[in-house]
Amino acid sequence: MGNILVLIVGIIFLGLLILAVYNVVGRKKKVNNMYTPFDDATQGIKDEEKQNRQ
């Protein structure tokens, strides 16, 4: 009876571990268009030029 209980707890633990790894690795979303004000500074775009583009 004790061996069955240890087996069930082990299976549940492995399931939770696999679920955690999937949530960290599998659900990563790639963000392609993430704008920051630092982008303008590195490209040398001034505020006046940016307002004219919009």
Side-chain angles (χ1 to χ4, degrees):
M1 183 72 181
N3 290 339
I4 295 173
L5 185 61
V6 170
L7 183 64
I8 291 172
V9 170
I11 291 172
I12 291 172
F13 177 75
L14 285 176
L16 290 174
L17 187 65
I18 291 170
L19 185 64
V21 170
Y22 171 74
N23 283 335
V24 170
V25 176
R27 287 189 161 184
K28 251 185 200 177
K29 294 184 179 177
K30 200 172 190 181
V31 178
N32 292 330
N33 190 12
M34 189 165 179
Y35 169 79
T36 63
F38 185 69
D39 295 338
D40 290 339
T42 57
Q43 294 176 2
I45 299 173
K46 296 181 181 177
D47 287 336
E48 299 87 29
E49 294 174 9
K50 189 169 86 171
Q51 289 176 357
N52 291 336
R53 288 183 180 185
Q54 292 177 350

